[in-house]
Amino acid sequence: MSLRPGPGLLSHDLTPEQAAVVNAPVGEPQSLFLEGPAGSGKTTTGVLHLLRLLEAGTPADSILVLVPQRTLGWPYVEALRAPGAPAGARVDVLTIGGLAQRSVELYWPLVAAPAGFARPNRPPIFLTLETAQYYMDRLVDPYIQQGAFGEVTLSRQRLISQIIDNLNKAAVARFPHEEIGARLSEAWKGESSRLRVYERVQACASDFRRYCLEHNLLDFSLQIEVFVRHVLALPEAATALRQRYRHIIADNIEEDVPVAHDLLADWLPGCDSAWLIYDEQGGLRTYLGADPVSAYGLRSRCRAQVRFSASLVSLPAVRALASAVGRGLGLESATATTRPVTATVPPSEASTDPREAIVLLHETFHTGMVGAVAACIADLVHGERLPPEQIAVLAPFMGDALRFELMLALERKGVPCYSHRPSRPLRDEPAVRCLLTLAKLAHPGWGLVPHRCDVAHALVMAIADMDLVRAWHLVAIAYRPAAGGIGLVSFERIRPEEQAKITYLLGNRYEALRQWLAAYAEGTAVPPDLFFTRLFDELLSRPGYGFRRDRDAAAATAHLIESARRFRGTVGEEWSEIAPAYVGMVEQGVLAAQYLPPEGARPQAVLLAPAYTFAMGNRAVDVQFWLNVSSSSWGRRLYQPLTHPYVLTRQWPRGTPWTDADEDLANRRTLHRLVVALLRRCRRRVYLADSTYNEHGLEEQGLLQQVVFRILRRAAREAEGRSPAGEGGHV
């Protein structure tokens, strides 16, 4: 049915469930807990409720939209910018981290001294992910040199990030950071040597916290702690926040952290209206501290509870497949949170064969699987005229080799594609490695002499049509770091017979690049973010150079510029002195902070992404391709020996060891969450692709593959009219 929730709003096709909720009286005090599966229209209803509040005359600055991560707030931001939205509405769409940072900055003069900062009369310095790791690296270095982490084999940056992650988990679960080591030790059942490692982890975390207090540095964990323990303890601050935000819309609360749930529980009784939106079988961000159990506990605090049951996205066969996954994993009696699954399956799902939603693609070798996937996608795009943006290719991990193979295969088939990997280190982007190498050449005073291999690859990336053979030949002739300056010889000084091998076209492009670097080196140096901006704008984006039509290169450049700019704005030291340290930190693999993608329409191309990234994007497509279905990486948590996503939570009882049975159950629940989240965002069908031998030439039979086979066998039995006896239990 087509309804107009309020005058001036765009019309929307609403289900009766949505219409009943959206058209409820606005003026009455209310708190609503809205739950349902993904794709049932909850966020759309929340957006319409926001617009209806504004149409009813509610002041925009009295509304708070609280989301667990910024990308999940885009539906609200886009609705406020739409032509039919009320003019001039400035609603706060924030995460708990954003709210905490605003509040700490505002009340800093009152909370700095009680919070223990050594310089309360000086302003706070809010750290990004990069700068937090920069300072942690300094403090951890002596421990690493002493071999304090024993048998634990991790890269330096993974070690640093896990210690920071421990501090974050302590802050969002609201237990003292001094308990990190003890909690990890109490749950450990392995070799006793690991207990000493946990002591060192605790020491590093405590050293970092002391350093932050001494220098007015606030990482995410300290921002949360100061906000909760000190800002909210101020009567004037607590009252001001309650009086300002009279209307709250908290979406995807199952992906948010306990400290956000505590805040909502405290604010609910005094709000004029509060909508809490909960996605059943969610909790994909548990590794970041999300607590679906804590979120569902807010249900009983709301005056009204509404559940949306109908899917507005998936066809019955896809929904039937999602329902069958829980049975195949032995989780049919409960979700991964606290809400029981409804005992009755909708008739449309019960009578539908889940095999109608599945297409199996099996090849002997990994390269054959990639080729088969590319051929199917080409047939869908060119044969069935399916828009490429309605296709997503997903894998548990989208590594460089897999991404390159896929993009090359799709390019040969004439299918446009792009990739999105937000957790990818900057150093893994070819464009970033190219820019860092050129920056070293342009700044000989840094003392960072790039390797010949790096220079050759930088030329391949920077100069259009330059191949690796010619680049290596050019570097062998023209790169002379011992000569001083930028270390590159003019193309005109190369012998004619060697110039001919390079070709004069590529030689001229090389010479223009060399002259640009030389002219910069002779002038006044600028901070790296400005250097990268100038290099991209003045040369690399121009005709004849490699960044001109490369969407991924442009995105990586923008990411690097933003990273360097934030780093420069945060670190209170002379930039010329720490520039080499920043470059070295990026090259070591520091994970860059996740910045919002540019606004605008999504590319009309096939998306290649990790499965978790796609699921958290809250986007639906017609067709999904799941790669490496036989991989054991589906649903299995990453190896994190210095932290633990379940032990460092409120839900895990202190002193209880973490056993193999706990690990197995957690993996099943994680796989269940992920698979259901993907299927709820798939309209028509899913292609399951695997190979007998993976990319390493090994055979695998992961949990997802076992579940799929179990579902297929059960469906075949039921289709033949036989009882699925003997199919009980789980794999």
Side-chain angles (χ1 to χ4, degrees):
M1 59 188 299
S2 180
L3 297 176
R4 188 179 295 271
L9 297 184
L10 298 175
S11 61
H12 293 268
D13 292 327
L14 303 181
T15 66
E17 293 175 317
Q18 290 176 307
V21 175
V22 171
N23 291 326
V26 174
E28 300 178 2
Q30 57 179 316
S31 56
L32 172 70
F33 190 90
L34 176 58
E35 61 181 307
S40 58
K42 302 184 302 301
T43 295
T44 299
T45 306
V47 170
L48 293 176
H49 173 62
L50 170 63
L51 296 178
R52 192 159 182 260
L53 285 173
L54 295 171
E55 284 287 337
T58 304
D61 59 2
S62 70
I63 303 174
L64 171 65
V65 178
L66 189 66
V67 290
Q69 67 181 38
R70 291 181 298 167
T71 53
L72 293 175
W74 271 123
Y76 297 91
V77 174
E78 291 173 348
L80 292 169
R81 296 175 178 175
R90 295 182 60 86
V91 175
D92 283 341
V93 181
L94 299 172
T95 64
I96 186 64
L99 180 62
Q101 181 171 331
R102 284 190 182 187
S103 302
V104 170
E105 190 170 23
L106 179 62
Y107 293 100
W108 176 255
L110 300 178
V111 301
F117 287 93
R119 306 172 185 178
N121 295 326
R122 300 185 63 179
I125 301 173
F126 296 100
L127 301 180
T128 64
L129 178 59
E130 290 98 332
T131 48
Q133 292 189 89
Y134 170 76
Y135 288 112
M136 179 67 82
D137 182 75
R138 292 179 169 185
L139 299 172
V140 167
D141 185 68
Y143 291 95
I144 294 177
Q145 299 300 327
Q146 297 168 12
F149 298 98
E151 80 285 356
V152 174
T153 304
L154 284 175
S155 68
R156 188 186 190 95
Q157 296 307 322
R158 285 192 63 198
L159 186 151
I160 290 170
S161 65
Q162 289 184 30
I163 297 174
I164 292 176
D165 189 50
N166 287 335
L167 285 165
N168 294 341
K169 284 183 169 60
V172 299
R174 296 184 68 173
F175 65 82
H177 75 274
E178 294 88 354
E179 295 181 2
I180 292 172
R183 287 175 179 256
L184 292 172
S185 297
E186 291 166 1
W188 177 250
K189 289 192 63 178
E191 296 290 336
S192 59
S193 58
R194 180 65 62 85
L195 302 180
R196 291 190 292 273
V197 172
Y198 291 147
E199 291 177 1
R200 302 299 185 275
V201 168
Q202 180 64 70
C204 291
S206 298
D207 288 350
F208 181 71
R209 176 56 55 83
R210 284 192 293 271
Y211 186 87
C212 288
L213 292 173
E214 290 171 2
H215 296 85
N216 283 23
L217 305 176
L218 290 94
D219 67 323
F220 174 79
S221 66
L222 195 49
Q223 292 174 39
I224 294 295
E225 288 194 15
V226 173
F227 174 63
V228 171
R229 297 183 181 181
H230 300 281
V231 173
L232 295 180
L234 293 173
E236 56 269 38
T239 301
L241 286 169
R242 288 194 186 95
Q243 290 179 346
R244 175 173 182 179
Y245 297 123
R246 305 300 305 163
H247 303 268
I248 296 175
I249 302 174
D251 204 346
N252 289 109
I253 61 173
E254 79 289 342
E255 303 295 348
D256 222 328
V257 294
V259 70
H261 304 149
D262 294 344
L263 185 65
L264 291 172
D266 184 50
W267 284 0
L268 277 176
C271 289
D272 292 341
S273 72
W275 277 35
L276 309 186
I277 302 176
Y278 178 91
D279 196 348
E280 293 174 0
Q281 298 168 330
L284 296 173
R285 299 175 78 250
T286 52
Y287 65 98
L288 293 176
D291 192 337
V293 176
S294 172
Y296 202 73
L298 294 171
R299 185 178 187 273
S300 61
R301 295 176 176 268
C302 295
R303 296 179 59 185
Q305 295 82 28
V306 175
R307 181 173 185 267
F308 288 176
S309 56
S311 173
L312 307 181
V313 175
S314 305
L315 293 177
V318 179
R319 299 198 298 271
L321 178 59
S323 299
V325 170
R327 296 194 299 271
L329 286 166
L331 299 173
E332 62 271 21
S333 61
T335 65
T337 61
T338 59
R339 189 188 191 283
V341 175
T342 51
T344 58
V345 179
S348 61
E349 297 180 19
S351 60
T352 304
D353 190 338
R355 293 178 298 175
E356 296 176 10
I358 298 176
V359 178
L360 297 178
L361 298 176
H362 178 76
E363 298 291 335
T364 302
F365 299 105
H366 185 265
T367 53
M369 179 199 71
V370 173
V373 168
C376 285
I377 294 175
D379 184 62
L380 289 172
V381 173
H382 301 310
E384 299 185 20
R385 299 299 178 184
L386 180 66
E389 63 269 21
Q390 289 299 327
I391 302 174
V393 183
L394 312 173
F397 301 106
M398 189 64 69
D400 289 338
L402 177 59
R403 172 180 172 273
F404 177 79
E405 283 185 90
L406 279 169
M407 299 190 82
L408 184 61
L410 290 172
E411 181 182 346
R412 289 172 176 170
K413 299 286 185 181
V415 177
C417 63
Y418 73 104
S419 64
H420 180 50
R421 296 177 290 174
S423 296
R424 175 179 167 86
L426 279 174
R427 70 168 181 185
D428 290 346
E429 296 291 349
V432 170
R433 293 198 297 269
C434 169
L435 291 168
L436 294 179
T437 299
L438 297 180
K440 292 178 185 178
L441 293 173
H443 297 85
W446 289 356
L448 303 177
V449 180
H451 192 275
R452 291 181 179 275
C453 177
D454 294 332
V455 177
H457 282 88
L459 294 179
V460 171
M461 185 70 201
I463 300 175
D465 303 320
M466 175 72 80
D467 58 82
L468 190 57
V469 174
R470 286 185 173 87
W472 266 110
H473 189 64
L474 182 57
V475 167
I477 298 171
Y479 181 46
R480 303 173 186 176
I486 65 172
L488 295 177
V489 173
S490 171
F491 188 72
E492 297 177 356
R493 295 177 56 187
I494 300 176
R495 292 182 298 175
E497 59 269 25
E498 302 299 337
Q499 291 179 343
K501 294 178 182 178
I502 305 299
T503 74
Y504 291 100
L505 176 64
L506 297 180
N508 289 334
R509 293 173 181 172
Y510 158 80
E511 182 60 20
L513 173 61
R514 188 199 68 80
Q515 290 179 3
W516 191 97
L517 295 174
Y520 171 85
E522 293 175 359
T524 302
V526 298
D529 55 320
L530 301 182
F531 169 81
F532 297 138
T533 301
R534 285 183 52 188
L535 179 59
F536 178 84
D537 181 61
E538 297 175 12
L539 189 72
L540 297 182
S541 62
R542 302 301 174 91
Y545 293 90
F547 287 41
R548 178 169 177 77
R549 299 187 183 277
D550 191 330
R551 184 191 303 271
D552 289 340
T557 302
H559 199 164
L560 179 64
I561 291 171
E562 181 69 4
S563 170
R565 183 187 66 80
R566 291 194 178 194
F567 193 91
R568 176 165 64 95
T570 302
V571 177
E573 302 177 33
E574 179 60 36
W575 177 254
S576 60
E577 298 178 1
I578 64 171
Y582 172 77
V583 171
M585 187 176 65
V586 173
E587 290 184 324
Q588 290 174 15
V590 174
L591 292 178
Q594 296 186 16
Y595 304 112
L596 283 177
E599 297 181 41
R602 293 188 179 95
Q604 295 181 343
V606 175
L607 170 64
L608 315 179
Y612 275 97
T613 299
F614 177 82
M616 285 304 301
N618 220 10
R619 166 191 175 187
V621 294
D622 285 354
V623 175
Q624 295 177 6
F625 285 79
W626 298 1
L627 306 186
N628 301 327
V629 173
S630 59
S631 171
S632 58
S633 298
W634 283 93
R636 187 179 65 183
R637 69 185 180 97
L638 294 173
Y639 175 64
Q640 294 180 302
L642 304 185
T643 186
H644 203 291
Y646 301 102
V647 169
L648 298 180
T649 66
R650 291 183 182 178
Q651 308 307 327
W652 189 254
R654 287 287 306 269
T656 304
W658 180 263
T659 65
D660 291 341
D662 296 318
E663 186 73 19
D664 177 70
L665 180 59
N667 287 340
R668 292 177 187 279
R669 288 177 170 174
T670 299
L671 180 61
H672 187 216
R673 291 190 193 104
L674 177 60
V675 170
V676 171
L678 295 178
L679 292 175
R680 291 290 184 179
R681 292 163 176 83
C682 180
R683 297 189 182 94
R684 293 169 50 184
R685 61 180 176 269
V686 58
Y687 289 75
L688 305 179
D690 73 336
S691 56
T692 304
Y693 302 100
N694 62 21
E695 63 268 36
H696 303 295
L698 304 175
E699 294 186 64
E700 279 189 287
Q701 190 176 18
L703 184 57
L704 177 58
Q705 184 187 54
Q706 298 175 44
V707 171
V708 170
F709 287 164
R710 189 175 186 83
I711 291 172
L712 295 177
R713 289 196 300 267
R714 186 184 184 97
R717 283 177 173 271
E718 293 177 346
E720 294 171 3
R722 293 184 290 170
S723 170
E727 296 293 323
H730 55 79
V731 295

